[in-house]
Amino acid sequence: MIDWIKQRRSVRAYTPEPVSDEDIRLILEAAMAAPSANDARPWEVIVVRDAQLRQQICGVHPWARMCGSAPVVFVVLGDATRSVHWVEDCSALTENLLLAASSLGLGGVWVAIYPETQDEEKLRRVLGIPSTRRVLCMVPVGHPAESKPAHTKYDERKVHYDRY
């Protein structure tokens, strides 16, 4: 398990091969196995497969251009009325999503939307997201068209035992 966690990399180039419905379901099941404060699970996910919609969401954020070439884009939403910890809970879901995709041989990248409300409003218009939901991020996922070596960002200087 540690090896495929280290294999998770930010992948921004994808082949045209589609992501199967089974893989999408496995990714979502793993994502929703994330911890959640008070078990509130304030998350929802929009699975965007439509090519025209993926092209439209490319223009939402300057770093979202890869959404057009990814066969699927997961848009992670949070319900702030369910939990004051929606950002943390949805972030845990997103990390699980990325790890699950990596474990299936797929690649993805976290495209942050929150706290940029202007980007959030653009996504609302394109995807019909209600005002009662916040947009944490988008995660384009696909079969990698680039290869990156496994790595860790471990930095011993950032670890403190017992006290600072």
Side-chain angles (χ1 to χ4, degrees):
M1 182 165 86
I2 298 296
D3 289 338
W4 60 259
I5 289 174
K6 290 180 183 179
Q7 289 172 359
R8 194 229 47 91
R9 299 295 306 271
S10 292
V11 174
R12 294 174 177 86
Y14 314 97
T15 71
E17 182 181 351
V19 175
S20 72
D21 290 342
E22 180 182 351
D23 283 351
I24 290 171
R25 174 66 185 230
L26 289 170
I27 289 167
L28 290 169
E29 286 178 7
M32 291 184 188
S36 172
N38 299 311
D39 199 28
R41 293 174 275 165
W43 49 63
E44 293 183 41
V45 180
I46 300 174
V47 180
V48 183
R49 293 183 288 189
D50 180 82
Q52 288 182 328
L53 285 176
R54 288 186 286 108
Q55 285 303 316
Q56 287 180 38
I57 63 178
C58 281
V60 165
H61 189 282
W63 301 105
R65 67 190 178 286
M66 71 289 286
C67 291
S69 63
V72 62
V73 178
F74 297 92
V75 180
V76 179
L77 309 177
D79 184 346
T81 66
R82 289 187 55 85
S83 176
V84 296
H85 301 291
W86 75 269
V87 172
E88 295 86 347
D89 290 354
C90 292
S91 294
L93 174 134
T94 302
E95 180 65 9
N96 275 14
L97 191 154
L98 286 161
L99 291 171
S102 180
S103 77
L104 294 170
L106 301 168
V109 63
W110 186 315
V111 179
I113 299 298
Y114 178 84
E116 301 300 326
T117 55
Q118 70 274 14
D119 295 340
E120 188 173 31
E121 289 307 314
K122 291 176 194 173
L123 267 177
R124 277 186 206 295
R125 286 191 296 276
V126 173
L127 299 177
I129 300 168
S131 61
T132 57
R133 301 299 180 269
R134 298 299 311 269
V135 182
L136 180 74
C137 64
M138 300 186 295
V139 183
V141 170
H143 296 272
E146 60 183 341
S147 178
K148 294 183 175 183
H151 78 299
T152 178
K153 296 179 182 177
Y154 178 75
D155 183 347
E156 195 170 306
R157 296 170 297 170
K158 296 186 179 215
V159 179
H160 312 280
Y161 292 95
D162 297 322
R163 299 179 65 101
Y164 195 92

